[in-house]
Amino acid sequence: MKKRRREDKGEEIKEFPLLSRSGVLERLIAEKSDEGEEGCIINLPEIPSGAKTFELVAKFCYGVKLELTASNVVYLRCAAEHLEMTEEYGEGNLIAQTEVFLNQVVLHNWKDSVKALKTCEDVLPQAEDLHIVKRCIESLAVKACIDPSLFGWPMMEHGGPMQSPGGSVLWNGISTGARPRKSSLDWWYEDVSTLSLPLYKRLISAMESRGIRQETIAGALTFYAKRLLPGLNRRQGVSESSACLAPIPLGSPPSEEDQKVLLEEIDRLLPMKNGLTSTKFLFGLLRTAMILRASPSCISNLEKRIGMQLDQATLEDLLMPNFSYSMETLYNVECVQRILEHFLAMDQAADGASPCSDDEGQLMGSPSLTPITMVARLIDGYLAEVAPDINLKASKFQSLAAAVPEYARPLDDGLYRAIDIYLKAHPWLTDSEREQLCRLMDCQKLSLEACTHAAQNERLPLRVVVQVLFFEQLQLRTSIAGCFLVSDNLDGSRQLRSGLTGSNEGGWATAVRENQVLKVGMDNMRTRVSELEKECSSMKQEIEKLGRVKTSSTWGNVSKKFGFKIKSQMCSAQEGSVSNQSKGGNAKVEKVKDKHAKHNKMLSVDE
């Protein structure tokens, strides 16, 4: 009786192709038949990828020719596994056919592997159980680490006879419509940028485990971040955007929370090595992290990365707006100071110690002197840009300026300019605060032009003006004495060359030109000295009108107050080399006397 029932059931199954290919459907139909229901309805809500995939499965069961592609093979493989379409229910069943197509077609081709991995996102649990995700990632990781010309025509590089007259790539003599591309390490960036973050992370990790270069990984992460973080492209210049790969436009940008998670993951995946990513990109990540309120560890890591290559930054990069709720200052000065501290710590660790100075104050050899000099110039320019902010406190300005080592600034002209701008924008500063700011610069490291400007700057404290005048005179005397010395040497060489033959006429002409240049420089300096002498004589006449007794007492008080003395021995020593310049020093002193006399006179009138 039971044997007859099985035969009847077999004949019934043969009449329904779906039952003959699927173990699940056969079992469900049998259960409904045992219940005696005439019109049974079977629900299959858990079919992977839904009704469209089941429609393809039904066509396969009814013998309709099914075209397997990289876009549907993952769905069909997961659905076949769910419906138990094994070889037990028919030879060449759907599980076997999809597995063959995956292993022999999809995983051997780069483009198809990317498409298959992309479709795994819709059926991720089932694809993980069947190890489809792992196989696709391993296939892509292997192909990214080798020459793309070794695996299939879609990524091959062609040229010359392999191109059609229209310029498209030929494959076996057939035009593919694809355009040839230049061979480079970034050929796969755009293809994998369409993956979700979890799959992209796993792909990058698999590539790293196979030894792919860190520069390539950093470039891929940069491309992926620019594609999904809209804020990174807002400050990107035209030339930079045209030079890099164009990001694929998205239908809708990710939410702020998704962007925050993405940015923090990008920071974790980026190799911590100097020079792998551009400084502009790192500043863009830092700016976006502050806007999205990323974790403090993420912001700190980005600041360290920027500090490692601060010498490659530009002034535009440093001008980051302050996104804090307090909004005390226009720009984020604290962040720039932290970045500078990271750079100085790295520089000190690399050098072992700061460069030493010899007796003449010249810097000894330092391998990182050029980068730190560039950073010092960059910070001075940044200070000049943020100085007009009336909310910038003097303590913050002074702290950032003092963070740069003294040996990093060959000249203090940039620092003087920043201090002058700050004093102009903050006229309410007290005299002590002005003097404290001016102590940041070294008057001996100011150029002659800066000294000339500072000597006439009314915003500077009087002590600083006196020091500037003194060192300016010393520079003039030293320069003129040096010119006289070089001139004497040239005259001696001229007499020596006069006894030589005419074959040295070219060298003599060069010496004449050099001598003329030096004479022009000497004439300029003499003109400057004469102008100072004229100013000195005019000051003397005004002082005599005001009265010698009062002026002399005032000057004595000033000299005692500022503790600044000019010894007669120094002047007599200078007179030995350049006797005509003694009047220049007196002119500067008389100029200071005049200023103090007028000041005391005004005070007496007020009383």
Side-chain angles (χ1 to χ4, degrees):
M1 187 71 177
K2 292 182 179 181
K3 184 176 181 181
R4 178 65 182 272
R5 188 173 180 179
R6 289 196 192 99
E7 291 178 355
D8 295 341
K9 185 176 180 180
E11 293 177 357
E12 182 180 0
I13 290 175
K14 290 181 181 179
E15 296 178 359
F16 301 97
L18 288 176
L19 306 181
S20 64
R21 291 285 187 173
S22 172
V24 172
L25 292 177
E26 178 186 1
R27 190 163 52 252
L28 292 175
I29 292 294
E31 292 176 357
K32 292 292 183 180
S33 299
D34 294 339
E35 293 177 0
E37 297 181 3
E38 295 182 357
C40 62
I41 299 176
I42 300 176
N43 294 323
L44 299 172
E46 298 180 357
I47 292 291
S49 191
K52 291 184 178 180
T53 302
F54 184 76
E55 181 181 356
L56 296 177
V57 172
K59 290 181 178 180
F60 171 80
C61 295
Y62 278 94
V64 178
K65 185 178 181 180
L66 184 63
E67 181 181 2
L68 294 177
T69 63
S71 301
N72 63 19
V73 66
V74 176
Y75 299 147
L76 291 173
R77 175 65 182 89
C78 295
E81 185 71 22
H82 179 76
L83 296 174
E84 298 180 7
M85 302 179 70
T86 61
E87 294 297 297
E88 180 182 353
Y89 296 93
E91 186 177 356
N93 210 344
L94 190 56
I95 290 180
Q97 292 194 24
T98 52
E99 278 292 333
V100 171
F101 187 80
L102 272 172
N103 295 327
Q104 297 184 3
V105 178
V106 174
L107 298 181
H108 287 185
N109 185 278
W110 170 267
K111 289 283 189 180
D112 291 343
S113 298
V114 173
K115 291 180 181 179
L117 183 58
K118 178 68 177 175
T119 58
C120 289
E121 298 174 0
D122 299 329
V123 289
L124 193 57
Q126 295 84 356
E128 289 283 7
D129 294 339
L130 298 175
H131 306 290
I132 300 176
V133 176
K134 181 179 179 180
R135 285 184 285 174
C136 290
I137 288 177
E138 290 296 327
S139 174
L140 293 174
V142 171
K143 292 177 176 60
C145 296
I146 62 176
D147 188 354
S149 62
L150 301 179
F151 57 90
W153 64 266
M155 299 306 300
M156 289 180 65
E157 311 298 332
H158 297 286
M162 295 303 295
Q163 297 183 22
S164 67
S168 62
V169 178
L170 295 179
W171 178 60
N172 292 340
I174 303 173
S175 176
T176 62
R179 296 289 176 178
R181 296 191 296 181
K182 295 181 180 180
S183 178
S184 59
L185 296 176
D186 58 0
W187 59 266
W188 53 272
Y189 291 176
E190 183 177 343
D191 295 332
V192 300
S193 65
T194 58
L195 298 175
S196 62
L197 181 60
L199 294 182
Y200 190 85
K201 286 172 52 181
R202 293 176 59 179
L203 177 60
I204 293 297
S205 300
M207 291 180 179
E208 288 179 339
S209 64
R210 291 190 170 272
I212 196 170
R213 297 173 58 184
Q214 290 187 337
E215 294 85 349
T216 307
I217 294 295
L221 292 171
T222 301
F223 187 95
Y224 190 73
K226 288 182 178 180
R227 182 183 183 274
L228 295 177
L229 296 175
L232 295 179
N233 299 319
R234 292 174 183 172
R235 296 172 62 93
Q236 184 172 333
V238 177
S239 58
E240 182 183 354
S241 60
S242 60
C244 67
L245 293 173
I248 303 174
L250 294 175
S252 59
S255 62
E256 290 188 1
E257 185 63 27
D258 292 340
Q259 292 184 42
K260 177 182 174 182
V261 174
L262 171 62
L263 192 147
E264 293 176 351
E265 289 296 336
I266 292 294
D267 173 63
R268 295 190 188 98
L269 293 174
L270 275 176
M272 185 66 76
K273 186 177 178 182
N274 186 10
L276 293 183
T277 54
S278 66
T279 308
K280 186 176 292 296
F281 171 72
L282 292 176
F283 270 106
L285 285 180
L286 179 59
R287 191 180 300 108
T288 307
M290 292 178 177
I291 296 175
L292 298 175
R293 309 292 176 186
S295 62
S297 61
C298 176
I299 294 178
S300 178
N301 287 336
L302 291 174
E303 291 175 350
K304 290 180 182 178
R305 294 179 188 274
I306 296 173
M308 294 172 61
Q309 52 193 59
L310 183 58
D311 56 305
Q312 304 174 17
T314 62
L315 181 57
E316 183 184 3
D317 297 332
L318 289 181
L319 295 175
M320 295 183 296
N322 197 340
F323 298 106
S324 63
Y325 293 109
S326 60
M327 292 297 292
E328 294 181 357
T329 56
L330 180 61
Y331 297 105
N332 197 335
V333 181
E334 294 85 353
C335 178
V336 174
Q337 184 162 0
R338 290 194 298 268
I339 293 174
L340 176 61
E341 291 173 354
H342 290 310
F343 173 81
L344 295 176
M346 182 201 66
D347 181 77
Q348 187 175 5
D351 296 344
S354 61
C356 303
S357 300
D358 58 9
D359 296 337
E360 299 179 358
Q362 296 178 350
L363 290 172
M364 304 296 289
S366 176
S368 63
L369 182 61
T370 299
I372 199 171
T373 303
M374 295 172 61
V375 170
R377 186 178 304 173
L378 181 65
I379 295 299
D380 290 344
Y382 178 77
L383 288 171
E385 289 292 331
V386 301
D389 188 358
I390 60 175
N391 293 324
L392 179 61
K393 297 180 180 179
S395 58
K396 291 184 178 181
F397 183 90
Q398 184 177 1
S399 178
L400 180 58
V404 179
E406 294 183 0
Y407 66 86
R409 292 188 177 102
L411 290 176
D412 278 4
D413 289 10
L415 181 58
Y416 164 69
R417 175 174 173 266
I419 293 175
D420 184 40
I421 295 175
Y422 187 84
L423 293 178
K424 183 178 181 181
H426 302 75
W428 54 83
L429 294 178
T430 62
D431 293 340
S432 60
E433 291 175 337
R434 291 173 181 268
E435 290 187 3
Q436 192 172 7
L437 285 176
C438 292
R439 290 194 189 103
L440 295 171
M441 63 179 179
D442 187 358
C443 296
Q444 300 184 61
K445 295 168 65 175
L446 293 178
S447 64
L448 190 59
E449 294 79 4
C451 286
T452 304
H453 185 276
Q456 303 173 1
N457 194 342
E458 299 179 353
R459 290 182 289 271
L460 297 180
L462 191 57
R463 182 194 298 271
V464 178
V465 174
V466 173
Q467 293 179 357
V468 168
L469 289 172
F470 175 71
F471 289 117
E472 181 187 16
Q473 186 181 18
L474 287 184
Q475 287 185 20
L476 285 172
R477 290 184 174 183
T478 305
S479 301
I480 294 175
C483 290
F484 277 121
L485 181 61
V486 173
S487 178
D488 293 340
N489 293 335
L490 288 177
D491 292 338
S493 64
R494 183 192 312 170
Q495 296 176 1
L496 181 62
R497 291 180 182 178
S498 62
L500 300 177
T501 60
S503 60
N504 293 331
E505 293 180 356
W508 170 250
T510 303
V512 170
R513 288 194 298 269
E514 293 176 353
N515 195 13
Q516 291 176 353
V517 173
L518 290 174
K519 286 182 177 180
V520 171
M522 292 171 57
D523 293 338
N524 293 334
M525 293 181 184
R526 286 171 178 169
T527 302
R528 174 60 179 164
V529 172
S530 64
E531 291 177 356
L532 294 175
E533 290 177 352
K534 291 179 181 179
E535 294 179 3
C536 177
S537 61
S538 62
M539 291 178 186
K540 284 182 178 179
Q541 293 176 1
E542 294 180 1
I543 292 174
E544 290 175 357
K545 293 180 182 179
L546 295 175
R548 295 183 178 180
V549 178
K550 188 175 182 179
T551 305
S552 59
S553 61
T554 303
W555 173 245
N557 295 331
V558 171
S559 60
K560 291 179 181 179
K561 178 181 179 181
F562 292 99
F564 187 82
K565 297 180 180 180
I566 302 178
K567 296 182 180 181
S568 58
Q569 296 178 357
M570 180 184 299
C571 296
S572 61
Q574 295 296 331
E575 289 176 356
S577 58
V578 187
S579 60
N580 294 329
Q581 305 304 318
S582 60
K583 296 180 180 180
N586 296 329
K588 298 298 181 179
V589 174
E590 294 296 338
K591 184 177 180 181
V592 175
K593 290 180 179 181
D594 185 28
K595 289 184 178 180
H596 283 80
K598 292 181 179 180
H599 179 69
N600 290 334
K601 183 178 181 180
M602 294 176 64
L603 291 177
S604 62
V605 172
D606 294 338
E607 293 175 357

mmCIF file of all heavy atoms in Angstrom, residues 192-213:
data_model
loop_
_atom_site.group_PDB
_atom_site.id
_atom_site.type_symbol
_atom_site.label_atom_id
_atom_site.label_comp_id
_atom_site.label_asym_id
_atom_site.label_seq_id
_atom_site.Cartn_x
_atom_site.Cartn_y
_atom_site.Cartn_z
ATOM 1 N N VAL A 192 36.046 50.020 -7.339
ATOM 2 C CA VAL A 192 35.681 49.534 -6.004
ATOM 3 C C VAL A 192 35.076 50.626 -5.141
ATOM 4 O O VAL A 192 34.642 50.342 -4.011
ATOM 5 C CB VAL A 192 36.911 48.930 -5.295
ATOM 6 C CG1 VAL A 192 37.469 47.778 -6.100
ATOM 7 C CG2 VAL A 192 37.981 49.990 -5.053
ATOM 8 N N SER A 193 35.061 51.870 -5.626
ATOM 9 C CA SER A 193 34.500 52.959 -4.813
ATOM 10 C C SER A 193 32.988 52.867 -4.673
ATOM 11 O O SER A 193 32.393 53.600 -3.881
ATOM 12 C CB SER A 193 34.875 54.310 -5.419
ATOM 13 O OG SER A 193 34.285 54.480 -6.692
ATOM 14 N N THR A 194 32.344 51.988 -5.445
ATOM 15 C CA THR A 194 30.899 51.811 -5.335
ATOM 16 C C THR A 194 30.502 50.844 -4.227
ATOM 17 O O THR A 194 29.317 50.691 -3.940
ATOM 18 C CB THR A 194 30.329 51.299 -6.667
ATOM 19 O OG1 THR A 194 30.970 50.060 -7.008
ATOM 20 C CG2 THR A 194 30.586 52.303 -7.793
ATOM 21 N N LEU A 195 31.477 50.197 -3.603
ATOM 22 C CA LEU A 195 31.179 49.231 -2.548
ATOM 23 C C LEU A 195 30.782 49.947 -1.264
ATOM 24 O O LEU A 195 31.163 51.097 -1.014
ATOM 25 C CB LEU A 195 32.395 48.340 -2.285
ATOM 26 C CG LEU A 195 32.870 47.468 -3.441
ATOM 27 C CD1 LEU A 195 34.163 46.742 -3.059
ATOM 28 C CD2 LEU A 195 31.800 46.463 -3.844
ATOM 29 N N SER A 196 30.025 49.245 -0.432
ATOM 30 C CA SER A 196 29.677 49.782 0.879
ATOM 31 C C SER A 196 30.914 49.773 1.773
ATOM 32 O O SER A 196 31.899 49.073 1.507
ATOM 33 C CB SER A 196 28.562 48.965 1.522
ATOM 34 O OG SER A 196 28.994 47.627 1.725
ATOM 35 N N LEU A 197 30.866 50.541 2.840
ATOM 36 C CA LEU A 197 32.031 50.676 3.720
ATOM 37 C C LEU A 197 32.477 49.345 4.328
ATOM 38 O O LEU A 197 33.687 49.065 4.347
ATOM 39 C CB LEU A 197 31.727 51.700 4.816
ATOM 40 C CG LEU A 197 32.854 51.966 5.811
ATOM 41 C CD1 LEU A 197 34.091 52.482 5.098
ATOM 42 C CD2 LEU A 197 32.397 52.950 6.885
ATOM 43 N N PRO A 198 31.579 48.477 4.841
ATOM 44 C CA PRO A 198 32.064 47.202 5.408
ATOM 45 C C PRO A 198 32.800 46.340 4.393
ATOM 46 O O PRO A 198 33.864 45.785 4.699
ATOM 47 C CB PRO A 198 30.775 46.529 5.890
ATOM 48 C CG PRO A 198 29.821 47.649 6.134
ATOM 49 C CD PRO A 198 30.130 48.660 5.090
ATOM 50 N N LEU A 199 32.263 46.220 3.182
ATOM 51 C CA LEU A 199 32.945 45.415 2.166
ATOM 52 C C LEU A 199 34.232 46.093 1.696
ATOM 53 O O LEU A 199 35.228 45.420 1.420
ATOM 54 C CB LEU A 199 32.013 45.181 0.976
ATOM 55 C CG LEU A 199 30.776 44.322 1.239
ATOM 56 C CD1 LEU A 199 29.962 44.140 -0.038
ATOM 57 C CD2 LEU A 199 31.170 42.957 1.803
ATOM 58 N N TYR A 200 34.222 47.420 1.623
ATOM 59 C CA TYR A 200 35.423 48.138 1.196
ATOM 60 C C TYR A 200 36.538 47.951 2.228
ATOM 61 O O TYR A 200 37.712 47.768 1.863
ATOM 62 C CB TYR A 200 35.087 49.619 1.026
ATOM 63 C CG TYR A 200 36.179 50.419 0.362
ATOM 64 C CD1 TYR A 200 36.288 50.480 -1.014
ATOM 65 C CD2 TYR A 200 37.104 51.125 1.124
ATOM 66 C CE1 TYR A 200 37.286 51.210 -1.627
ATOM 67 C CE2 TYR A 200 38.106 51.860 0.524
ATOM 68 C CZ TYR A 200 38.188 51.906 -0.854
ATOM 69 O OH TYR A 200 39.189 52.625 -1.445
ATOM 70 N N LYS A 201 36.207 47.995 3.491
ATOM 71 C CA LYS A 201 37.207 47.769 4.535
ATOM 72 C C LYS A 201 37.815 46.374 4.412
ATOM 73 O O LYS A 201 39.042 46.212 4.525
ATOM 74 C CB LYS A 201 36.570 47.937 5.911
ATOM 75 C CG LYS A 201 36.282 49.368 6.308
ATOM 76 C CD LYS A 201 35.473 49.428 7.592
ATOM 77 C CE LYS A 201 36.100 48.624 8.691
ATOM 78 N NZ LYS A 201 35.280 48.662 9.937
ATOM 79 N N ARG A 202 36.991 45.383 4.195
ATOM 80 C CA ARG A 202 37.505 44.018 4.065
ATOM 81 C C ARG A 202 38.381 43.863 2.830
ATOM 82 O O ARG A 202 39.396 43.159 2.858
ATOM 83 C CB ARG A 202 36.329 43.036 4.022
ATOM 84 C CG ARG A 202 35.551 42.960 5.324
ATOM 85 C CD ARG A 202 34.348 42.058 5.210
ATOM 86 N NE ARG A 202 34.700 40.692 4.833
ATOM 87 C CZ ARG A 202 33.828 39.709 4.694
ATOM 88 N NH1 ARG A 202 32.528 39.957 4.921
ATOM 89 N NH2 ARG A 202 34.211 38.502 4.352
ATOM 90 N N LEU A 203 38.009 44.558 1.763
ATOM 91 C CA LEU A 203 38.828 44.489 0.555
ATOM 92 C C LEU A 203 40.193 45.140 0.781
ATOM 93 O O LEU A 203 41.233 44.598 0.374
ATOM 94 C CB LEU A 203 38.094 45.165 -0.600
ATOM 95 C CG LEU A 203 38.852 45.242 -1.935
ATOM 96 C CD1 LEU A 203 39.184 43.850 -2.435
ATOM 97 C CD2 LEU A 203 38.034 46.003 -2.971
ATOM 98 N N ILE A 204 40.221 46.290 1.427
ATOM 99 C CA ILE A 204 41.488 46.967 1.704
ATOM 100 C C ILE A 204 42.364 46.111 2.623
ATOM 101 O O ILE A 204 43.585 46.001 2.423
ATOM 102 C CB ILE A 204 41.223 48.353 2.331
ATOM 103 C CG1 ILE A 204 40.545 49.276 1.313
ATOM 104 C CG2 ILE A 204 42.521 48.972 2.815
ATOM 105 C CD1 ILE A 204 41.372 49.580 0.086
ATOM 106 N N SER A 205 41.760 45.491 3.625
ATOM 107 C CA SER A 205 42.524 44.625 4.527
ATOM 108 C C SER A 205 43.105 43.429 3.790
ATOM 109 O O SER A 205 44.255 43.031 4.047
ATOM 110 C CB SER A 205 41.628 44.154 5.676
ATOM 111 O OG SER A 205 41.132 45.251 6.419
ATOM 112 N N ALA A 206 42.336 42.856 2.876
ATOM 113 C CA ALA A 206 42.842 41.723 2.096
ATOM 114 C C ALA A 206 44.000 42.152 1.203
ATOM 115 O O ALA A 206 44.980 41.408 1.028
ATOM 116 C CB ALA A 206 41.711 41.127 1.259
ATOM 117 N N MET A 207 43.900 43.349 0.632
ATOM 118 C CA MET A 207 45.006 43.846 -0.202
ATOM 119 C C MET A 207 46.264 44.084 0.627
ATOM 120 O O MET A 207 47.379 43.785 0.185
ATOM 121 C CB MET A 207 44.583 45.138 -0.896
ATOM 122 C CG MET A 207 43.517 44.959 -1.967
ATOM 123 S SD MET A 207 43.074 46.536 -2.720
ATOM 124 C CE MET A 207 41.848 46.000 -3.926
ATOM 125 N N GLU A 208 46.091 44.624 1.829
ATOM 126 C CA GLU A 208 47.252 44.861 2.687
ATOM 127 C C GLU A 208 47.917 43.546 3.089
ATOM 128 O O GLU A 208 49.149 43.461 3.173
ATOM 129 C CB GLU A 208 46.821 45.631 3.934
ATOM 130 C CG GLU A 208 46.473 47.089 3.663
ATOM 131 C CD GLU A 208 46.037 47.811 4.922
ATOM 132 O OE1 GLU A 208 45.623 47.117 5.879
ATOM 133 O OE2 GLU A 208 46.105 49.055 4.950
ATOM 134 N N SER A 209 47.112 42.520 3.352
ATOM 135 C CA SER A 209 47.678 41.227 3.727
ATOM 136 C C SER A 209 48.461 40.596 2.593
ATOM 137 O O SER A 209 49.340 39.768 2.836
ATOM 138 C CB SER A 209 46.567 40.285 4.185
ATOM 139 O OG SER A 209 45.673 40.005 3.114
ATOM 140 N N ARG A 210 48.167 40.989 1.372
ATOM 141 C CA ARG A 210 48.891 40.456 0.212
ATOM 142 C C ARG A 210 50.059 41.340 -0.186
ATOM 143 O O ARG A 210 50.683 41.112 -1.225
ATOM 144 C CB ARG A 210 47.947 40.271 -0.968
ATOM 145 C CG ARG A 210 46.933 39.147 -0.734
ATOM 146 C CD ARG A 210 46.181 38.811 -1.985
ATOM 147 N NE ARG A 210 45.398 37.603 -1.792
ATOM 148 C CZ ARG A 210 45.847 36.370 -2.002
ATOM 149 N NH1 ARG A 210 47.079 36.192 -2.432
ATOM 150 N NH2 ARG A 210 45.072 35.324 -1.797
ATOM 151 N N GLY A 211 50.367 42.362 0.617
ATOM 152 C CA GLY A 211 51.570 43.142 0.396
ATOM 153 C C GLY A 211 51.467 44.260 -0.612
ATOM 154 O O GLY A 211 52.486 44.650 -1.193
ATOM 155 N N ILE A 212 50.271 44.779 -0.851
ATOM 156 C CA ILE A 212 50.157 45.889 -1.786
ATOM 157 C C ILE A 212 50.829 47.123 -1.182
ATOM 158 O O ILE A 212 50.917 47.280 0.032
ATOM 159 C CB ILE A 212 48.668 46.174 -2.102
ATOM 160 C CG1 ILE A 212 48.537 47.042 -3.345
ATOM 161 C CG2 ILE A 212 47.975 46.802 -0.917
ATOM 162 C CD1 ILE A 212 47.116 47.163 -3.854
ATOM 163 N N ARG A 213 51.338 48.006 -2.025
ATOM 164 C CA ARG A 213 52.065 49.174 -1.558
ATOM 165 C C ARG A 213 51.160 50.112 -0.753
ATOM 166 O O ARG A 213 49.970 50.273 -1.063
ATOM 167 C CB ARG A 213 52.655 49.924 -2.756
ATOM 168 C CG ARG A 213 53.673 49.123 -3.534
ATOM 169 C CD ARG A 213 54.087 49.864 -4.798
ATOM 170 N NE ARG A 213 54.633 51.173 -4.491
ATOM 171 C CZ ARG A 213 55.002 52.056 -5.415
ATOM 172 N NH1 ARG A 213 54.861 51.757 -6.703
ATOM 173 N NH2 ARG A 213 55.494 53.224 -5.060
#
